[in-house]
Amino acid sequence: MLAGVRRSTSRTDVGRRAEAGRKVLEYGVVGTVAALLGCLFTRPWAGGWSNPIVYGNDTIGTLTMVEGAGWTGTARGVAELGAPHGTTWVDFPLGPDRLHLAGIRFVRLLTDDPMLVVNIWLLLGFVLVAWAAFGVLRHLAVGALLAGSLAVVFSLAPYHFETIAAGHLFLATYYAVPLGVLLALWANDGSLRPQRSPHDDGAVRGAAQWRRRLGWTVLWVLVVGSASAYYAAFAVVGIVAVGLVRSLRRREVRLLTVPMIVAAALMAVVVANVAGDLVQAASSGTNQEASQRASIETDSYGLRPAALAVPPPGHRLGVAASVGQRYADAVPRRGGDYLGLVALAGLALVVLRCVRDAGRSDPPGGRVEQGLFERLGVIAGASLAAGSVGGGGLLIALTGFGQIRVWSRISVVVTFVGLVALGLVLERRTRAFGARVMPSVLIAVGLVAVATVDQVANGAVPDPGEVAAARAVDEEVAEQLLGGLDDGDDVFVFPPMVFPSGVVDRGAPMHSTLAVWSAADGRLSWSAGAIAGRSGDWRFSWAAQEPGPLAVGLAAAGFEAVLVDVRVEAPHSLRPEGTAPSSGAAAADDLAAVLGPPAGVSSDGTRQWFDLRPLRSQLVATHGEERVARWGRSVTRPVGVTFAGAATSTTTGREGVRLLGPEASFTLRHTDHDPSPVDVEFLLSGEHGATVVVRWPDGDQRVTLGDRPSVLTRQIHLEERDTVVEISTDAGAMTGAPAAAGDVRVALGDLSVRDATLEGFGTATLGPAAVGMLTN
């Protein structure tokens, strides 16, 4: 593999086959050990192989992404999500993850069980990471035994288990990291410069070697640029940083040429991967709710250098765990930043070697090794500078590239640099043993043993029993729904949550609204999963209705059932207590009073579902199919809401309160080309006596804020696809706003957008005249 690009020598066919066989054996052993250790620590057999290793956080969301992309990773529609309009991932480009999407698609050819697919992919990640690290280490002349042990250590990095626990199926397969470091080295060692004098045999051989190196470079650029936007960005940091340092030290601008070309090529691959998605998204109008990241979030998710050396609270050694707990209590940390003792030792060697050998004409190991250590030191230093809180990552975000926001993840690059440095030093030291194998074996085994104790913390992977229990309940609810409904029936999930960005806990696991849909194998059509800012935003306005109108509206819209998650807490609201939207538990009680007992309740009592078909039949019998269908279209009218000028906050848009700066706006975007009016209502709160100017399409409205939230209502005709409502204020900065919220002046809450033909709908109650509540 990578080792084969180091040199070209004449060999017989037998010799080539023998070397190929040796490489297959080496990679096979490394992959097997990595897979076995990965299985040991993730325990996929606990509860059966169909019991997922990780089930919460982003796992289900990632599986939804797979459903929303084709074999090439291009976003496409998913009719079974975001009912009744369906959904698409065009607002959330999947292109940089093409290789992962294609890989998971390939695994799915082996089984239809989505959870088994997750397990196989996560375990395959240990193998791919170890293989990539092993190939790079062998290319850098580290012996097979030592390179294999360090590759396995890298596959067991704390970062790996943190990303697994977070459900980041793609980031957990970080084989692009070693390849990115390799590109940074190749781009700055002169090997990618073309030969100038191909007139003698030596030059011809040099030219052949250059072409081979160039071919591998192109391949790795394509791989890294198609494996993760994060890891591509991290590679660019290393490539450019080393080039800049070399250029400044030698005062030769031309030394920047090759690294800038490689970095540009890498970014070009990323851009090419997302181009199709961006074109589709642009044709539908930019959706800031799904794609925009606030710059301040980059600072919040930055790397704290001290965390690299502080063990996690769950460390297997009590003293280390105690230190980690004290640090976690004092300083917020995301987890996974800890490098581990093995990588820390290597990083210390990088620092010592760079300081000690600076200016020496005869450093130990020679000029080649010194140059390699210098480049490794620059990569590590640049990674820390870019990822640290308030560092280069924030500056990059301020230039408009805020999608790469969790710069603490760049710690995985520092981890690999440390392991490479340690491998280089140990390789030179072990050469003193000559042909003796045992010392090298002991070192290799010792490195892996230290890593298994030090890097894999207690609780690094979710408890299989808890995961199995959670999955079992979701499967139970899915079986209830499938037993009571027909395939393809529409289910409304209450309370609705923003998807995919801004998803918060609110008492239930992240993406819990999609878990039952996944357990039902997509046989039901689900209101959840609609991208925020698009046609599914009607859910947030309608979920704020009283239980009677809510049930009738959903029945008229063709929903056969409503599934209520009683764990979900009420969203933050500006409304007085008692008038805010119901929590899941309160909503279930209200719907039971309206519709009768639920048709099904989960064994743990967390989910209840109600059958809406009898109510639908009653409506049709009284008013006729055509009229009820027209009411239903009005209920689910596809009008999306997006904000601009909104400050970052810990609340989540239409789920609760949006914090606004001095100049802000929201846009109503309709996709059905229906210009008929909508009723818009929201509440404003801020500094007492301050003035807020709302610029509606038909005129300005001036509001003086008081002690209680001001209720604003307006009927708007949607003549254009995008209708903008601007909001400005002279209010002072709002006190008590979240520290990361920025310049907060007013709070906008409980925004609802309803078809104007349904005016007065919410005043009715379900009783003998229930079918008469829809009048127009």
Side-chain angles (χ1 to χ4, degrees):
M1 196 178 170
L2 289 172
V5 303
R6 286 183 293 167
R7 57 188 182 276
S8 177
T9 60
S10 59
R11 299 182 178 92
T12 64
D13 290 341
V14 174
R16 292 193 183 95
R17 286 196 294 271
E19 183 175 353
R22 176 182 58 80
K23 290 180 181 179
V24 169
L25 177 62
E26 290 176 356
Y27 279 93
V29 171
V30 170
T32 300
V33 173
L36 289 175
L37 289 175
C39 286
L40 176 65
F41 292 114
T42 58
R43 294 178 291 169
W45 57 79
W49 280 84
S50 292
N51 179 48
I53 294 172
V54 58
Y55 189 55
N57 295 329
D58 281 337
T59 305
I60 303 301
T62 302
L63 286 177
T64 305
M65 292 171 62
V66 176
E67 292 293 336
W71 271 97
T72 62
T74 301
R76 61 179 176 80
V78 184
E80 297 80 15
L81 290 174
H85 306 298
T87 191
T88 178
W89 278 91
V90 296
D91 293 321
F92 210 84
L94 308 180
D97 296 311
R98 286 185 189 278
L99 288 181
H100 300 291
L101 289 162
I104 290 181
R105 283 274 181 172
F106 179 78
V107 173
R108 289 185 64 187
L109 293 177
L110 307 176
T111 175
D112 292 330
D113 185 342
M115 294 299 104
L116 181 56
V117 169
V118 170
N119 289 350
I120 293 174
W121 183 252
L122 287 176
L123 294 176
L124 186 60
F126 286 92
V127 177
L128 295 176
V129 169
W131 278 351
F134 178 73
V136 173
L137 286 162
R138 291 291 285 135
H139 170 74
L140 297 176
V142 178
L145 193 58
L146 187 56
S149 64
L150 290 172
V152 171
V153 169
F154 186 59
S155 73
L156 299 177
Y159 174 87
H160 198 164
F161 293 98
E162 174 65 22
T163 50
I164 288 177
H168 297 153
L169 306 187
F170 300 160
L171 290 171
T173 311
Y174 50 95
Y175 55 81
V177 171
L179 300 178
V181 171
L182 183 68
L183 288 175
L185 297 176
W186 279 358
N188 292 282
D189 65 1
S191 62
L192 293 179
R193 290 191 176 187
Q195 302 297 313
R196 294 185 176 181
S197 304
H199 298 302
D200 56 70
D201 291 342
V204 170
R205 286 195 295 270
Q209 186 179 19
W210 169 75
R211 287 193 295 269
R212 191 158 47 248
R213 173 66 61 85
L214 182 62
W216 283 104
T217 300
V218 171
L219 175 61
W220 300 142
V221 165
L222 291 173
V223 168
V224 176
S226 303
S228 168
Y230 270 98
Y231 300 144
F234 298 166
V236 167
V237 169
I239 293 168
V240 174
V242 176
L244 284 172
V245 170
R246 293 183 69 237
S247 177
L248 290 173
R249 286 188 60 182
R250 300 189 184 184
R251 295 185 176 88
E252 295 183 46
V253 177
R254 67 183 182 85
L255 294 178
L256 270 175
T257 303
V258 173
M260 293 305 293
I261 289 175
V262 175
L266 195 51
M267 286 295 95
V269 173
V270 174
V271 171
N273 277 323
V274 302
D277 296 336
L278 294 178
V279 169
Q280 292 184 57
S283 65
S284 303
T286 302
N287 182 8
Q288 298 184 20
E289 294 302 294
S291 61
Q292 185 176 5
R293 304 286 194 184
S295 299
I296 193 65
E297 294 181 5
T298 303
D299 200 55
S300 303
Y301 296 129
L303 173 68
R304 298 181 182 274
L308 300 176
V310 179
H315 197 277
R316 294 178 184 273
L317 299 180
V319 175
S322 177
V323 173
Q325 187 61 59
R326 290 200 300 270
Y327 182 85
D329 293 339
V331 180
R333 68 184 299 179
R334 290 183 54 80
D337 298 340
Y338 178 54
L339 301 186
L341 292 176
V342 178
L344 280 171
L347 189 62
L349 288 173
V350 171
V351 175
L352 291 174
R353 285 290 302 270
C354 289
V355 172
R356 187 192 66 180
D357 298 340
R360 293 182 59 172
S361 59
D362 58 343
R367 299 294 304 176
V368 173
E369 184 176 297
Q370 181 193 23
L372 182 54
F373 266 87
E374 289 176 347
R375 292 194 293 274
L376 291 173
V378 172
I379 294 171
S383 298
L384 291 174
S388 295
V389 174
L394 178 58
L395 296 178
I396 293 173
L398 292 175
T399 64
F401 295 95
Q403 285 294 327
I404 307 297
R405 59 172 181 167
V406 189
W407 279 92
S408 61
R409 290 171 178 158
I410 205 169
S411 64
V412 71
V413 177
V414 183
T415 299
F416 186 67
V417 168
L419 295 177
V420 170
L422 184 64
L424 293 172
V425 172
L426 289 177
E427 178 64 26
R428 184 157 54 83
R429 296 295 184 185
T430 54
R431 287 174 189 166
F433 300 131
R436 290 180 294 172
V437 177
M438 186 55 64
S440 298
V441 171
L442 293 176
I443 292 174
V445 172
L447 290 173
V448 175
V450 169
T452 57
V453 174
D454 174 56
Q455 295 180 181
V456 187
N458 293 321
V461 175
D463 179 77
E466 295 178 0
V467 170
R471 179 65 178 175
V473 173
D474 289 333
E475 290 177 336
E476 173 199 354
V477 176
E479 291 175 1
Q480 287 186 18
L481 289 167
L482 290 171
L485 304 174
D486 296 327
D487 284 5
D489 279 356
D490 291 346
V491 179
F492 184 84
V493 183
F494 187 95
M497 290 188 182
V498 172
F499 183 79
S501 60
V503 178
V504 291
D505 192 316
R506 285 176 53 194
M510 182 179 289
H511 294 315
S512 60
T513 54
L514 297 173
V516 176
W517 177 81
S518 172
D521 295 326
R523 291 167 57 189
L524 296 172
S525 191
W526 222 241
S527 69
I531 300 296
R534 294 294 187 188
S535 57
D537 282 358
W538 67 271
R539 299 169 299 153
F540 301 100
S541 297
W542 205 255
Q545 299 291 322
E546 294 296 322
L550 171 65
V552 173
L554 294 177
F559 283 91
E560 280 77 19
V562 54
L563 174 67
V564 181
D565 190 330
V566 302
R567 297 170 296 181
V568 180
E569 302 167 353
H572 183 43
S573 173
L574 290 176
R575 294 184 184 275
E577 185 176 357
T579 64
S582 298
S583 66
D589 292 340
D590 291 342
L591 288 172
V594 169
L595 297 171
V601 180
S602 64
S603 58
D604 65 352
T606 59
R607 263 67 60 88
Q608 301 181 23
W609 70 276
F610 298 84
D611 194 340
L612 295 173
R613 289 171 296 185
L615 180 56
R616 168 80 182 192
S617 299
Q618 186 182 7
L619 289 171
V620 171
T622 304
H623 296 284
E625 183 72 43
E626 181 179 352
R627 194 177 189 190
V628 172
R630 178 160 51 86
W631 290 336
R633 288 192 296 271
S634 297
V635 168
T636 61
R637 188 168 175 188
V639 179
V641 185
T642 61
F643 281 86
T648 303
S649 71
T650 55
T651 55
T652 52
R654 289 165 308 284
E655 284 187 287
V657 175
R658 181 66 61 130
L659 304 181
L660 307 182
E663 299 288 339
S665 66
F666 63 85
T667 299
L668 307 181
R669 172 175 293 147
H670 63 98
T671 59
D672 58 353
H673 308 292
D674 182 1
S676 59
V678 294
D679 290 328
V680 178
E681 178 179 294
F682 58 87
L683 290 83
L684 280 177
S685 180
E687 181 184 8
H688 179 81
T691 299
V692 178
V693 177
V694 181
R695 296 180 178 87
W696 303 96
D698 58 354
D700 293 352
Q701 180 179 2
R702 187 175 298 271
V703 180
T704 301
L705 300 179
D707 295 329
R708 298 174 65 88
S710 299
V711 181
L712 277 70
T713 60
R714 199 80 160 200
Q715 190 171 101
I716 302 177
H717 288 265
L718 305 181
E719 301 293 347
E720 305 292 337
R721 182 189 67 178
D722 293 345
T723 301
V724 181
V725 178
E726 298 179 343
I727 301 174
S728 61
T729 181
D730 60 3
M734 184 178 292
T735 59
D743 187 10
V744 175
R745 302 300 179 91
V746 295
L748 184 151
D750 302 303
L751 175 67
S752 65
V753 181
R754 296 186 296 269
D755 190 288
T757 60
L758 293 175
E759 184 175 1
F761 177 85
T763 62
T765 57
L766 192 62
V771 294
M773 68 172 63
L774 281 171
T775 58
N776 68 334

